[in-house]
Each structure stands twice: as structure tokens, then as C-alpha cells.
């Protein structure tokens, strides 16, 4: 996942039994196929370079048993750690907040939900018959990555769609290739966690 053409689109496959999605770049090229192993006590995510799932490029695994503030490590196909994403437990009750940590275990970026009310309204109206089917078109949360100086770097936004299955990741300022990869891996894990929360 180097030299990517933004924006990157995530599209979930709602017809499969597993929790999986495809990431494509601005040219429509598949850059990753993300598959979450179901029924695991620890989160286990496999990332392939295409939908045929023959070439594993990365894995994401929970550092500890399912927990309120678990961290998830990114590794390449050779097992080299590239960094991790950690959910800020109590800070995320109202508004999602994650930290991206580099391969040297140093805090590098924050990911925060832009407007918590969007998710609240989505959850409330989602339980109303008939109307609930349209919330994917009405309420679309977004999440912004900021560096340690508070500068916005990237933003992930849910796009209008049934079942909340489409997301778009846009770059807001230039970043290094290594950071690029870490941010995308972080968002891949985060979007799986946030969809589960509603």
C-alpha cells in the first residue's frame, strides 16, 4: 500500500457471512481486500492485495483479549510490526477517539469522530420501522486524523448508502509513505470497530 491515489474507497460486502470489505483507489484499482475472522475471542484481521485472497500483505491482531481499551497491532506479511491503533476507552463513550502509534511505540496521530450527534441520531432512528432503512442515507459520520500539532491530515467519511457499507478516505495534506500505510491500516481496523458500535 504505497503511493496510493486518493481518495480511497471502502465498500463492505453485505452478502457474505464474514465482515469483509474491498479498498479501491481513485483509479478504481483494488489496493486491499480486508477480511475479519468471525467468532474469534481476539480480533483477527487479514488483508490481501486482491479479492482472490491469494497474497496476504498485512495482519491486524488485538494485543489483548477483547477489552474496553484494546490496542491492535499492524504487521506486514513477514511479521514485522508497523505500528498499532488504540481505542481510548472512556474518551470514546460519547465520541470515538483512537490513537495511532508508530513502530517505535510512539504516539503519532489522533483519530477523532467529528460529530457524535450523527451517530446518536442514526442509532435512534435506525430502530424505527421503515424509516430505519433510510438512515444510511441521512446520517453519515466522519472521522479526522490529526498530527500532534493538531493539523488535520486525513478524513474518513461514511457515504450515503443502505446498510452503511461505503466509506471514503481523503488526504488533506501530504504525508510520508510509511505514515500513509499506518493511517490506512488504522482506519481499516477502526471502521470495523465503529460499524459494530453502530
Amino acid at each position: 500500500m504505497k503511493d496510493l491515489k486518493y481518495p480511497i474507497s471502502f465498500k463492505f460486502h453485505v452478502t457474505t457471512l464474514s465482515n469483509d470489505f474491498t479498498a479501491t483507489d481513485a483509479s478504481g484499482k483494488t489496493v486491499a481486500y480486508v477480511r475479519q475472522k468471525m467468532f474469534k475471542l481476539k480480533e483477527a484481521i487479514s488483508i490481501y492485495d486482491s479479492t482472490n485472497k491469494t497474497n496476504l500483505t498485512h495482519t491486524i491482531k488485538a494485543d489483548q483479549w477483547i477489552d474496553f481499551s484494546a490496542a491492535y497491532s499492524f504487521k506486514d506479511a513477514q511479521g514485522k510490526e508497523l505500528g498499532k491503533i488504540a481505542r481510548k476507552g472512556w474518551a470514546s463513550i460519547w465520541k470515538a477517539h483512537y490513537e495511532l502509534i508508530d513502530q517505535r511505540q510512539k504516539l503519532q496521530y489522533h483519530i477523532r469522530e467529528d460529530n457524535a450527534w450523527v451517530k446518536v441520531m442514526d442509532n435512534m432512528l435506525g430502530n424505527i420501522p421503515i424509516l430505519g432503512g433510510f438512515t444510511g442515507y441521512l446520517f453519515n459520520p466522519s472521522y479526522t486524523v490529526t498530527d500532534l500539532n493538531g493539523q488535520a491530515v486525513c478524513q474518513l467519511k461514511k457515504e450515503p448508502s443502505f446498510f452503511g457499507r461505503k466509506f471514503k478516505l481523503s488526504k488533506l495534506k501530504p504525508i510520508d509513505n510509511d505514515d500513509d500505510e499506518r493511517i490506512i491500516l488504522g482506519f481499516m481496523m477502526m471502521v470495523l470497530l465503529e460499524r459494530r458500535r453502530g
Side-chain angles (χ1 to χ4, degrees):
M1 288 188 284
K2 305 284 187 183
D3 302 314
L4 298 172
K5 294 180 175 66
Y6 284 81
I8 307 296
S9 297
F10 297 169
K11 185 176 180 181
F12 278 82
H13 304 279
V14 295
T15 56
T16 64
L17 292 175
S18 58
N19 200 11
D20 57 356
F21 64 90
T22 303
T24 54
D25 70 8
S27 69
K29 175 188 170 188
T30 297
V31 296
Y33 179 79
V34 181
R35 185 175 182 84
Q36 183 176 29
K37 295 178 182 174
M38 306 299 282
F39 312 115
K40 291 279 187 180
L41 289 177
K42 276 183 150 182
E43 299 285 356
I45 314 299
S46 300
I47 301 169
Y48 303 88
D49 65 354
S50 68
T51 54
N52 60 24
K53 299 176 284 187
T54 54
N55 186 26
L56 181 73
T57 61
H58 299 83
T59 59
I60 305 175
K61 291 186 178 174
D63 279 359
Q64 52 193 312
W65 295 101
I66 293 172
D67 182 71
F68 200 52
S69 301
Y72 305 88
S73 294
F74 318 134
K75 293 184 179 178
D76 65 16
Q78 290 71 46
K80 177 185 174 186
E81 185 162 330
L82 306 173
K84 62 180 64 173
I85 186 169
R87 183 171 178 268
K88 300 299 289 178
W90 289 108
S92 290
I93 288 179
W94 167 246
K95 197 173 183 179
H97 180 194
Y98 294 81
E99 291 181 342
L100 272 174
I101 297 157
D102 68 16
Q103 69 274 29
R104 295 176 294 277
Q105 308 303 310
K106 301 288 187 185
L107 174 63
Q108 192 174 27
Y109 295 105
H110 294 277
I111 304 176
R112 291 186 176 93
E113 187 173 4
D114 294 326
N115 185 349
W117 283 108
V118 173
K119 189 179 294 175
V120 171
M121 295 302 294
D122 189 20
N123 285 336
M124 285 175 54
L125 295 180
N127 293 317
I128 299 174
I130 301 173
L131 182 61
F134 295 94
T135 59
Y137 281 94
L138 299 173
F139 302 106
N140 299 293
S142 60
Y143 307 85
T144 301
V145 177
T146 56
D147 62 21
L148 299 184
N149 295 318
Q151 296 292 310
V153 174
C154 290
Q155 184 182 60
L156 180 78
K157 185 172 177 62
K158 184 167 85 67
E159 296 192 292
S161 64
F162 277 116
F163 308 115
R165 67 192 192 110
K166 294 180 181 178
F167 296 79
K168 186 166 285 185
L169 175 59
S170 302
K171 186 186 288 189
L172 305 178
K173 62 179 286 192
I175 47 178
D176 294 338
N177 267 339
D178 286 348
D179 292 358
D180 224 3
E181 185 175 40
R182 194 172 298 113
I183 287 170
I184 290 174
L185 290 168
F187 269 127
M188 286 175 172
M189 185 68 237
M190 189 208 79
V191 78
L192 289 167
L193 294 169
E194 289 301 304
R195 282 185 96 235
R196 181 192 299 161
R197 290 178 68 207

